[in-house]
């Protein structure tokens, strides 16, 4: 028998996305967001939901671009820090010791040390209660060479991305492969 848990922000898995943007003074900023995911195949698009009170919200609204840096398991502490500190008050890159890199295709920075990058131009925003959903067209993906090996896509076993459990506020790694999807006909 199933027990009702009520209305909560609890769905598994929840990704750990580090959203990059520039402020009005051209300073790089990042924030961690978990309300996110792929939203469209054509054009390739991703969504991330952010509260209007955040520094990142204003940056994306002005620059019309953002990046998503996907941290690996060894960078969980930096990802966590990026989610609770504010770029209004401190330079997160300086404090974390990580490196901001200017995207060559969108007006936003990404985190050099994180192995997988999604570069987006803002397509649309949708206000949903406390959050605004930013829909970004994926302009380019960047991956560390060792994630690719002989493949044209990053291997998840090499990437070792994080997932987040919102209610418990815990980070997890991804387990091993359990099967393959049926091919499309």
């Amino acid at each position: 028998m199933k027990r009702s848990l009520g209305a909560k922000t609890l769905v598994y898995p929840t990704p750990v996305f580090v959203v990059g943007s520039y402020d009005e003074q051209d300073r790089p900023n990042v924030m961690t967001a978990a309300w996110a995911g792929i939203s469209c195949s054509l054009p390739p698009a991703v969504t991330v939901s952010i509260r209007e009170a955040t520094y990142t919200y204003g940056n994306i609204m002005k620059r019309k671009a953002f990046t998503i840096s996907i941290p690996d398991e060894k960078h969980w502490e930096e990802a966590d820090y990026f989610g609770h500190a504010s770029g209004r008050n401190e330079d997160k890159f300086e404090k974390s010791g990580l490196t901001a890199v200017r995207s060559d295709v969108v007006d936003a920075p990404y985190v050099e040390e994180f192995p997988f990058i999604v570069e987006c131009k803002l397509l649309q925003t949708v206000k949903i209660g406390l959050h605004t959903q930013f829909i970004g067209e994926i302009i380019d993906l960047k991956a560390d060479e060792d994630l690719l090996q002989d493949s044209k896509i990053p291997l998840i076993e090499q990437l070792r991305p994080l997932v987040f459990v919102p209610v418990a506020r815990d980070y997890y790694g991804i387990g091993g492969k359990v099967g393959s999807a049926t091919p499309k006909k």
Side-chain angles (χ1 to χ4, degrees), residues 25-86:
Q25 290 76 41
D26 212 31
R27 291 181 304 201
N29 182 58
V30 285
M31 72 163 281
T32 303
W35 303 168
I38 293 294
S39 59
C40 188
S41 300
L42 192 58
V46 64
T47 61
V48 61
S49 296
I50 299 173
R51 290 179 300 111
E52 191 171 341
T54 67
Y55 199 50
T56 298
Y57 175 96
N59 294 346
I60 295 173
M61 292 299 282
K62 287 183 177 94
R63 298 290 185 122
K64 307 296 185 206
F66 61 94
T67 62
I68 297 169
S69 298
I70 308 291
D72 52 14
E73 291 175 5
K74 69 183 177 191
H75 288 103
W76 76 268
E77 289 175 294
E78 291 89 344
D80 183 61
Y81 162 69
F82 290 157
H84 65 77
S86 174

Side-chain angles (χ1 to χ4, degrees), residues 63-124:
R63 298 290 185 122
K64 307 296 185 206
F66 61 94
T67 62
I68 297 169
S69 298
I70 308 291
D72 52 14
E73 291 175 5
K74 69 183 177 191
H75 288 103
W76 76 268
E77 289 175 294
E78 291 89 344
D80 183 61
Y81 162 69
F82 290 157
H84 65 77
S86 174
R88 278 189 188 96
N89 307 322
E90 56 193 276
D91 182 333
K92 295 182 190 182
F93 283 100
E94 182 179 314
K95 189 155 185 179
S96 69
L98 298 181
T99 310
V101 175
R102 183 174 292 277
S103 166
D104 56 357
V105 296
V106 299
D107 189 16
Y110 61 85
V111 181
E112 172 66 27
E113 291 81 1
F114 292 0
F116 189 58
I117 310 301
V118 183
E119 297 166 299
C120 304
K121 75 174 182 182
L122 184 62
L123 283 178
Q124 185 176 350

Side-chain angles (χ1 to χ4, degrees), residues 12 16 73 76 160-165 168 170-174:
Y12 294 118
V16 176
E73 291 175 5
W76 76 268
R160 302 180 59 84
L162 298 169
V163 293
F164 184 64
V165 179
D170 292 325
Y171 295 93
Y172 285 85
I174 300 283

Side-chain angles (χ1 to χ4, degrees), residues 121-182:
K121 75 174 182 182
L122 184 62
L123 283 178
Q124 185 176 350
T125 61
V126 179
K127 177 86 168 137
I128 308 171
L130 183 61
H131 287 74
T132 296
Q133 187 174 67
F134 289 89
I135 303 167
E137 180 178 357
I138 299 170
I139 303 302
D140 194 21
L141 302 174
K142 290 180 172 42
D144 287 353
E145 290 284 338
D146 61 339
L147 295 182
L148 301 174
Q149 295 179 355
D150 294 331
S151 178
K152 291 186 174 153
I153 60 169
L155 300 173
I156 196 166
E157 305 88 18
Q158 299 296 111
L159 176 57
R160 302 180 59 84
L162 298 169
V163 293
F164 184 64
V165 179
V167 176
R169 303 193 51 77
D170 292 325
Y171 295 93
Y172 285 85
I174 300 283
K177 179 179 175 180
V178 296
S180 295
T182 305

